[in-house]
mmCIF file of all heavy atoms in Angstrom:
data_model
loop_
_atom_site.group_PDB
_atom_site.id
_atom_site.type_symbol
_atom_site.label_atom_id
_atom_site.label_comp_id
_atom_site.label_asym_id
_atom_site.label_seq_id
_atom_site.Cartn_x
_atom_site.Cartn_y
_atom_site.Cartn_z
ATOM 1 N N GLY L 45 86.363 94.515 88.430
ATOM 2 C CA GLY L 45 86.488 94.592 86.978
ATOM 3 C C GLY L 45 85.183 94.982 86.332
ATOM 4 O O GLY L 45 84.317 95.596 86.957
ATOM 5 N N GLY L 46 85.034 94.592 85.091
ATOM 6 C CA GLY L 46 83.840 94.900 84.323
ATOM 7 C C GLY L 46 82.795 93.814 84.476
ATOM 8 O O GLY L 46 82.681 93.171 85.530
ATOM 9 N N LEU L 47 82.041 93.577 83.412
ATOM 10 C CA LEU L 47 80.948 92.596 83.464
ATOM 11 C C LEU L 47 81.421 91.182 83.754
ATOM 12 O O LEU L 47 80.623 90.336 84.158
ATOM 13 C CB LEU L 47 80.157 92.628 82.154
ATOM 14 C CG LEU L 47 79.260 93.849 81.962
ATOM 15 C CD1 LEU L 47 78.593 93.811 80.589
ATOM 16 C CD2 LEU L 47 78.215 93.941 83.053
ATOM 17 N N GLU L 48 82.714 90.911 83.576
ATOM 18 C CA GLU L 48 83.210 89.565 83.892
ATOM 19 C C GLU L 48 83.065 89.242 85.377
ATOM 20 O O GLU L 48 83.064 88.074 85.772
ATOM 21 C CB GLU L 48 84.666 89.402 83.448
ATOM 22 C CG GLU L 48 85.679 90.190 84.247
ATOM 23 C CD GLU L 48 85.880 91.624 83.775
ATOM 24 O OE1 GLU L 48 85.178 92.091 82.858
ATOM 25 O OE2 GLU L 48 86.765 92.283 84.352
ATOM 26 N N VAL L 49 82.904 90.248 86.218
ATOM 27 C CA VAL L 49 82.685 90.039 87.647
ATOM 28 C C VAL L 49 81.312 89.425 87.896
ATOM 29 O O VAL L 49 81.114 88.699 88.871
ATOM 30 C CB VAL L 49 82.836 91.384 88.409
ATOM 31 C CG1 VAL L 49 82.386 91.275 89.851
ATOM 32 C CG2 VAL L 49 84.274 91.865 88.327
ATOM 33 N N ILE L 50 80.371 89.693 87.009
ATOM 34 C CA ILE L 50 79.011 89.161 87.168
ATOM 35 C C ILE L 50 78.993 87.750 86.570
ATOM 36 O O ILE L 50 78.398 87.469 85.544
ATOM 37 C CB ILE L 50 77.970 90.089 86.493
ATOM 38 C CG1 ILE L 50 78.219 91.545 86.873
ATOM 39 C CG2 ILE L 50 76.550 89.664 86.878
ATOM 40 C CD1 ILE L 50 78.188 91.833 88.367
ATOM 41 N N ASP L 51 79.668 86.860 87.259
ATOM 42 C CA ASP L 51 79.866 85.476 86.832
ATOM 43 C C ASP L 51 79.117 84.549 87.787
ATOM 44 O O ASP L 51 79.244 84.711 89.008
ATOM 45 C CB ASP L 51 81.367 85.165 86.858
ATOM 46 C CG ASP L 51 81.649 83.711 86.589
ATOM 47 O OD1 ASP L 51 81.572 83.311 85.411
ATOM 48 O OD2 ASP L 51 81.929 82.980 87.562
ATOM 49 N N PRO L 52 78.348 83.598 87.276
ATOM 50 C CA PRO L 52 77.523 82.772 88.168
ATOM 51 C C PRO L 52 78.327 81.981 89.204
ATOM 52 O O PRO L 52 77.913 81.893 90.358
ATOM 53 C CB PRO L 52 76.757 81.852 87.214
ATOM 54 C CG PRO L 52 77.437 81.958 85.903
ATOM 55 C CD PRO L 52 78.156 83.247 85.874
ATOM 56 N N GLU L 53 79.458 81.433 88.821
ATOM 57 C CA GLU L 53 80.258 80.662 89.781
ATOM 58 C C GLU L 53 80.823 81.569 90.874
ATOM 59 O O GLU L 53 80.787 81.229 92.057
ATOM 60 C CB GLU L 53 81.377 79.921 89.066
ATOM 61 C CG GLU L 53 80.875 78.784 88.202
ATOM 62 C CD GLU L 53 81.996 78.056 87.498
ATOM 63 O OE1 GLU L 53 83.134 78.052 88.009
ATOM 64 O OE2 GLU L 53 81.729 77.492 86.431
ATOM 65 N N LEU L 54 81.338 82.720 90.489
ATOM 66 C CA LEU L 54 81.883 83.671 91.448
ATOM 67 C C LEU L 54 80.799 84.185 92.389
ATOM 68 O O LEU L 54 80.955 84.194 93.608
ATOM 69 C CB LEU L 54 82.544 84.836 90.713
ATOM 70 C CG LEU L 54 83.059 85.989 91.570
ATOM 71 C CD1 LEU L 54 84.135 85.517 92.534
ATOM 72 C CD2 LEU L 54 83.577 87.113 90.683
ATOM 73 N N LEU L 55 79.672 84.601 91.812
ATOM 74 C CA LEU L 55 78.572 85.118 92.640
ATOM 75 C C LEU L 55 78.041 84.046 93.583
ATOM 76 O O LEU L 55 77.750 84.326 94.749
ATOM 77 C CB LEU L 55 77.446 85.648 91.754
ATOM 78 C CG LEU L 55 77.784 86.873 90.903
ATOM 79 C CD1 LEU L 55 76.638 87.179 89.957
ATOM 80 C CD2 LEU L 55 78.111 88.067 91.774
ATOM 81 N N SER L 56 77.914 82.827 93.102
ATOM 82 C CA SER L 56 77.423 81.730 93.942
ATOM 83 C C SER L 56 78.360 81.481 95.112
ATOM 84 O O SER L 56 77.920 81.241 96.238
ATOM 85 C CB SER L 56 77.267 80.457 93.108
ATOM 86 O OG SER L 56 76.259 80.627 92.134
ATOM 87 N N ARG L 57 79.666 81.552 94.855
ATOM 88 C CA ARG L 57 80.647 81.345 95.918
ATOM 89 C C ARG L 57 80.576 82.476 96.953
ATOM 90 O O ARG L 57 80.544 82.229 98.160
ATOM 91 C CB ARG L 57 82.045 81.239 95.322
ATOM 92 C CG ARG L 57 83.095 80.845 96.347
ATOM 93 C CD ARG L 57 84.459 80.595 95.747
ATOM 94 N NE ARG L 57 85.076 81.863 95.373
ATOM 95 C CZ ARG L 57 85.408 82.218 94.132
ATOM 96 N NH1 ARG L 57 85.185 81.403 93.123
ATOM 97 N NH2 ARG L 57 85.973 83.379 93.889
ATOM 98 N N VAL L 58 80.508 83.707 96.488
ATOM 99 C CA VAL L 58 80.494 84.858 97.399
ATOM 100 C C VAL L 58 79.190 84.914 98.195
ATOM 101 O O VAL L 58 79.197 85.162 99.400
ATOM 102 C CB VAL L 58 80.729 86.169 96.624
ATOM 103 C CG1 VAL L 58 80.469 87.385 97.496
ATOM 104 C CG2 VAL L 58 82.151 86.207 96.068
ATOM 105 N N TYR L 59 78.055 84.683 97.524
ATOM 106 C CA TYR L 59 76.753 84.771 98.197
ATOM 107 C C TYR L 59 76.337 83.485 98.894
ATOM 108 O O TYR L 59 75.319 83.442 99.564
ATOM 109 C CB TYR L 59 75.671 85.176 97.189
ATOM 110 C CG TYR L 59 75.818 86.589 96.698
ATOM 111 C CD1 TYR L 59 75.642 86.893 95.356
ATOM 112 C CD2 TYR L 59 76.131 87.630 97.555
ATOM 113 C CE1 TYR L 59 75.762 88.196 94.892
ATOM 114 C CE2 TYR L 59 76.264 88.923 97.110
ATOM 115 C CZ TYR L 59 76.072 89.196 95.786
ATOM 116 O OH TYR L 59 76.200 90.483 95.329
ATOM 117 N N ARG L 60 77.109 82.423 98.673
ATOM 118 C CA ARG L 60 76.796 81.114 99.253
ATOM 119 C C ARG L 60 75.391 80.651 98.898
ATOM 120 O O ARG L 60 74.659 80.095 99.702
ATOM 121 C CB ARG L 60 76.979 81.152 100.765
ATOM 122 C CG ARG L 60 78.396 81.404 101.187
ATOM 123 C CD ARG L 60 78.537 81.348 102.696
ATOM 124 N NE ARG L 60 79.890 81.654 103.070
ATOM 125 C CZ ARG L 60 80.237 82.726 103.762
ATOM 126 N NH1 ARG L 60 79.327 83.592 104.160
ATOM 127 N NH2 ARG L 60 81.497 82.936 104.069
ATOM 128 N N ALA L 61 75.026 80.926 97.666
ATOM 129 C CA ALA L 61 73.730 80.502 97.126
ATOM 130 C C ALA L 61 73.870 80.426 95.614
ATOM 131 O O ALA L 61 74.664 81.158 95.024
ATOM 132 C CB ALA L 61 72.639 81.505 97.490
ATOM 133 N N ARG L 62 73.121 79.558 95.005
ATOM 134 C CA ARG L 62 73.192 79.437 93.554
ATOM 135 C C ARG L 62 72.648 80.703 92.903
ATOM 136 O O ARG L 62 71.582 81.194 93.255
ATOM 137 C CB ARG L 62 72.386 78.237 93.073
ATOM 138 C CG ARG L 62 72.542 77.996 91.593
ATOM 139 C CD ARG L 62 72.025 76.614 91.206
ATOM 140 N NE ARG L 62 72.151 76.473 89.774
ATOM 141 C CZ ARG L 62 71.130 76.554 88.931
ATOM 142 N NH1 ARG L 62 69.910 76.745 89.378
ATOM 143 N NH2 ARG L 62 71.320 76.420 87.635
ATOM 144 N N VAL L 63 73.399 81.234 91.951
ATOM 145 C CA VAL L 63 72.994 82.425 91.211
ATOM 146 C C VAL L 63 73.030 82.097 89.725
ATOM 147 O O VAL L 63 74.002 81.527 89.226
ATOM 148 C CB VAL L 63 73.934 83.618 91.506
ATOM 149 C CG1 VAL L 63 73.548 84.836 90.679
ATOM 150 C CG2 VAL L 63 73.917 83.959 92.994
ATOM 151 N N VAL L 64 71.969 82.447 89.034
ATOM 152 C CA VAL L 64 71.880 82.261 87.589
ATOM 153 C C VAL L 64 72.086 83.618 86.938
ATOM 154 O O VAL L 64 71.488 84.608 87.361
ATOM 155 C CB VAL L 64 70.508 81.674 87.189
ATOM 156 C CG1 VAL L 64 70.381 81.570 85.682
ATOM 157 C CG2 VAL L 64 70.296 80.327 87.857
#
Side-chain angles (χ1 to χ4, degrees):
L47 287 176
E48 70 274 5
V49 170
I50 313 302
D51 173 77
E53 290 180 27
L54 175 61
L55 294 173
S56 295
R57 187 174 74 243
V58 170
Y59 291 137
R60 296 183 183 115
R62 186 166 178 256
V63 177
V64 176

